[in-house]
Amino acid sequence: MNKGVFILLPISIILISVILLVSYTDHFSRQREQMVHRQLRARGITDSRTLEAMRNTERHHFVPGSQQRFAYDDRPLPIGHGQTISQPYIVAYMTEIIEPKSHYNVLEIGTGSGYQAAVLAEIVDKVYTIEIIEALGKQAIEVIDKLGYDNIYVKIADGYYGWEEHAPFDAIVVTAAAEHIPPPLVDQLREGGKMIIPVGSPFRVQQLMLVEKKNGRLSTKNLMPVRFVPFRRADD
Ligand code: SAH
């Protein structure tokens, strides 16, 4: 073998790897762009901050390797331990409905993969998120750290009790279906704040509800029928 091969071979291998990596990344960003147009805009998501956050958040990092190629499909996906990451439209809808602002302090119950928390963290100041399944919580922390989010705080606990030290919250997003609205979460919502929560029996169709605290009183509105995994309790 002559000297040229020794030099050219490693250079071509590096070049080919770079090209593959770029086209792979590009492939996902194209899929995200399509997701924003076909699944979100087409169905009435209009908030520019929400659309931008959905465009920027790399959903494929939040799903198991075997699901990555489906990451931008119009459906929920399994994330292990019997749990699911919600369909992109639902994530965008729940983000838009709380009217997130850059100074907001948001609480999420049900970290799961960490994706909804990441979408929120693209817009708001701080996201506090609670997960009851330890393994999922730890996995989410790993992904969140790897992607460099420094405004997401994860706690492994029963989210029924909220996160008192960081209350009041400007908004609360609950991503597991509860049989009733947990009173501690209502207490931790600031005056004028909004909570979005699926309410209803586990494994049945539930109602996605918008809860608002106005002059110390709660107003609730049914938004749409949904199907979420159940809100579990620590002693289940
Ligand atoms: N927001 C998630 C979707 C999570 S699915 C995402 O973007 O991927 C709902 C999650 O709620 C599950 O991971 C489940 O373990 C969690 N969960 C259920 N009951 C809970 C509770 N009482 N406290 C905290 N998390 C809970």
Side-chain angles (χ1 to χ4, degrees), residues 83-84 108 110-113 116 131-133 158-159 175 231-232:
Q83 308 304 313
T84 53
E108 182 200 20
T111 314
S113 67
Q116 171 80 72
E131 172 55 52
I132 202 165
I133 300 177
D158 181 350
T175 65
F231 193 104
R232 301 161 41 149

Side-chain angles (χ1 to χ4, degrees), residues 16-214:
I16 290 170
S17 316
V18 169
I19 291 169
L20 284 177
L21 192 73
V22 169
S23 60
Y24 186 65
T25 316
D26 202 48
H27 171 68
F28 283 131
S29 69
R30 255 200 325 270
Q31 287 195 340
R32 266 200 307 285
E33 199 56 47
Q34 283 183 355
M35 170 192 85
V36 166
H37 280 278
R38 295 182 187 164
Q39 302 175 35
L40 312 183
R41 278 185 191 283
R43 294 200 187 113
I45 304 288
T46 55
D47 176 52
S48 58
R49 279 183 278 210
T50 300
L51 291 168
E52 194 56 20
M54 295 294 292
R55 194 175 284 121
N56 291 339
T57 313
E58 301 191 325
R59 184 169 162 98
H60 59 280
H61 291 300
F62 293 89
V63 299
S66 61
Q67 301 293 323
Q68 277 205 345
R69 63 203 163 106
F70 309 121
Y72 300 98
D73 284 7
D74 189 14
R75 59 185 167 108
L77 293 173
I79 52 170
H81 304 270
Q83 308 304 313
T84 53
I85 178 174
S86 303
Q87 177 190 10
Y89 172 70
I90 293 290
V91 174
Y93 184 87
M94 292 176 84
T95 305
E96 178 177 73
I97 202 92
I98 61 162
E99 297 177 39
K101 309 274 185 303
S102 55
H103 64 273
Y104 267 22
N105 193 30
V106 177
L107 175 68
E108 182 200 20
I109 309 299
T111 314
S113 67
Y115 177 67
Q116 171 80 72
V119 169
L120 288 165
E122 292 275 339
I123 308 173
V124 307
D125 188 28
K126 288 194 172 72
V127 179
Y128 293 92
T129 177
I130 308 178
E131 172 55 52
I132 202 165
I133 300 177
E134 188 176 357
L136 276 180
K138 285 190 169 159
Q139 207 169 294
I141 293 171
E142 231 173 76
V143 177
I144 285 164
D145 285 349
K146 188 178 90 184
L147 296 179
Y149 288 96
D150 59 3
N151 58 342
I152 303 177
Y153 306 89
V154 182
K155 175 162 95 164
I156 294 163
D158 181 350
Y160 187 89
Y161 304 102
W163 200 333
E164 184 83 61
E165 303 94 285
H166 302 291
F169 298 99
D170 300 296
I172 300 180
V173 174
V174 182
T175 65
E179 303 226 22
H180 62 265
I181 301 168
L185 298 186
V186 172
D187 291 344
Q188 292 174 27
L189 187 64
R190 78 149 158 83
E191 174 61 36
K194 291 186 168 71
M195 175 176 359
I196 175 100
I197 177 169
V199 181
S201 302
F203 307 112
R204 295 244 189 102
V205 170
Q206 305 113 16
Q207 268 301 326
L208 192 57
M209 289 176 83
L210 180 65
V211 179
E212 287 184 78
K213 203 190 242 185
K214 285 184 197 147

